[in-house]
Amino acid sequence: MGPVYKIAVIQLHPKPMQLETNYTKAASFVARAASQGAQLAVLPEYHLTNWVPEDPGFNALCGQWETYLRKYQALAKEHNICIVPGTIVEWHEGAEDEEDKLINVAYFIDNKGEVLGSYQKKNLWHPERPHLTSSTHDPHTPIQTPLGPVGLLICWDLAFPEAFRELISQGTKIIIIPTFWTLSDCSPYGLKLNPRAEALFLESTLTARTYENTCACVFANAGGAAPKDGQVRQDSYAGLSRVTVPFVGALGDETKDSGIEGMSVVELDMQILEEAEMQYKVREDLGREDWHYVYRHSGEGFGQVVKGNEGRGSKEKL
């Protein structure tokens, strides 16, 4: 039988430009998750700042990224819990190249407070492109963690199955996806046809990715404050934070059907992934020498895992 991991997906409502307020609330959720026996807590993308790049003070706030990364390292050690602190937007004022100054990064911190690896967002959503720099051709590489080999993706990466395939072919079984996704991300045309079109996108795609890769998707999205009139508006945060696995679908009763701030602590039974692989044999096919699709990772060796991954794109193998 495979191990069972307890994972908290935290659907935080990030208040714009309020780093300390958002961090304090996030830390409270993490402490609650640890008290419930969670081994991993995952926060949303942009959870410290929200996404307001046009604000004159945004870059300066993002210049404090290292302070908050260290705070999360201390928090993980204090509560003996692994943390993926959503994403932290980093402003590197002294960067030689202009395009390296503002980047969006997810970190994996272990329960001893050590940073085991990181990932810079590759597939930028269209409104992000004037502000952020993509990791472009850097390879997707797994991180060796107390939960086994883990992959990090961010928000719009979900739309690209190539990112999942690249991680899965290297032995990843858990893919963590911090996200900042609203119901109004859809076009007016799409919203007219279906006001919940973006929710349909998320629910459908997460289910597809977990089946087609025999993996678990740990999806932590931003949530909103409870509406005073009880009505969910089209511009509301999509929420729907969940852990998705084959056969079962979405886990996370407190958040998987909600756009409101909250937290779900779920048990991820890794045996489900093994049973799915025995049924669908996706990894087996990917590992064949005569596999007929060619990916960028060809020649790297199926099942190899990158250890540490402290410098994004590290090639060191176990």
Side-chain angles (χ1 to χ4, degrees):
M1 299 296 289
V4 176
Y5 299 122
K6 213 165 187 181
I7 299 175
V9 284
I10 299 170
Q11 192 161 283
L12 194 78
H13 178 212
K15 296 186 176 180
M17 305 290 289
Q18 297 187 35
L19 273 75
E20 192 58 29
T21 296
N22 292 329
Y23 170 77
T24 299
K25 186 164 53 173
S28 176
F29 273 116
V30 170
R32 279 176 48 199
S35 72
Q36 294 178 45
Q39 294 152 286
L40 169 66
V42 183
L43 287 152
E45 182 184 28
Y46 300 138
H47 75 284
L48 286 174
T49 57
N50 204 296
W51 177 241
V52 284
E54 304 293 349
D55 189 294
F58 186 73
N59 287 354
L61 279 184
C62 296
Q64 300 179 47
W65 67 271
E66 209 164 4
T67 296
Y68 285 90
L69 178 59
R70 291 197 188 102
K71 284 189 173 192
Y72 278 115
Q73 289 180 262
L75 187 69
K77 186 175 182 180
E78 177 186 356
H79 293 289
N80 190 33
I81 187 173
C82 300
I83 302 175
V84 174
T87 68
I88 300 176
V89 183
E90 302 179 8
W91 171 247
H92 297 269
E93 187 173 11
E96 186 173 331
D97 296 325
E98 186 68 27
E99 62 267 22
D100 292 332
K101 287 189 174 181
L102 196 66
I103 58 177
N104 190 19
V105 183
Y107 290 89
F108 192 103
I109 304 168
D110 73 6
N111 57 315
K112 298 177 183 177
E114 298 295 325
V115 174
L116 298 185
S118 62
Y119 165 69
Q120 180 182 337
K121 188 173 184 178
K122 185 178 301 297
N123 296 293
L124 302 180
W125 181 233
H126 311 294
E128 295 173 323
R129 295 176 189 180
H131 307 283
L132 293 174
T133 298
S134 163
S135 59
T136 61
H137 298 294
D138 289 352
H140 291 283
T141 52
I143 303 166
Q144 185 65 21
T145 78
L147 283 73
V150 163
L152 295 176
L153 297 176
I154 300 171
C155 200
W156 190 232
D157 287 329
L158 176 64
F160 297 89
E162 298 87 349
F164 289 78
R165 277 289 194 258
E166 193 160 287
L167 288 165
I168 291 302
S169 68
Q170 298 175 78
T172 307
K173 295 182 180 178
I174 300 174
I175 296 181
I176 299 169
I177 315 168
T179 301
F180 185 90
W181 204 303
T182 72
L183 296 179
S184 60
D185 283 333
C186 189
S187 68
Y189 177 87
L191 288 171
K192 186 176 180 180
L193 291 173
N194 180 5
R196 296 193 77 256
E198 293 303 301
L200 178 62
F201 184 118
L202 292 172
E203 292 164 343
S204 302
T205 308
L206 285 164
T207 302
R209 295 291 175 265
T210 197
Y211 268 105
E212 68 195 11
N213 295 291
T214 60
C215 71
C217 293
V218 179
F219 175 80
N221 194 15
K228 294 179 180 178
D229 58 4
Q231 299 297 313
V232 177
R233 301 182 305 277
Q234 287 185 350
D235 63 347
S236 296
Y237 293 97
L240 308 176
S241 299
R242 60 189 59 199
V243 177
T244 309
V245 293
F247 302 136
V248 179
L251 304 170
D253 289 344
E254 297 299 319
T255 56
K256 68 183 178 70
D257 299 316
S258 169
I260 306 304
E261 183 176 75
M263 178 178 73
S264 292
V265 178
V266 307
E267 290 188 346
L268 170 57
D269 185 350
M270 298 296 286
Q271 186 61 33
I272 293 174
L273 308 184
E274 300 309 313
E275 295 290 336
E277 174 58 23
M278 283 190 281
Q279 171 66 24
Y280 303 117
K281 302 188 186 303
V282 172
R283 299 169 187 275
E284 180 180 318
D285 281 342
L286 285 171
R288 285 166 36 197
E289 290 185 6
D290 64 344
W291 181 236
H292 39 265
Y293 292 112
V294 177
Y295 300 100
R296 186 174 64 199
H297 57 251
S298 293
E300 287 293 311
F302 178 72
Q304 291 181 314
V305 179
V306 174
K307 182 179 181 180
N309 189 26
E310 291 83 1
R312 293 180 279 275
S314 171
K315 295 287 187 179
E316 183 185 355
K317 300 288 190 291
L318 282 178

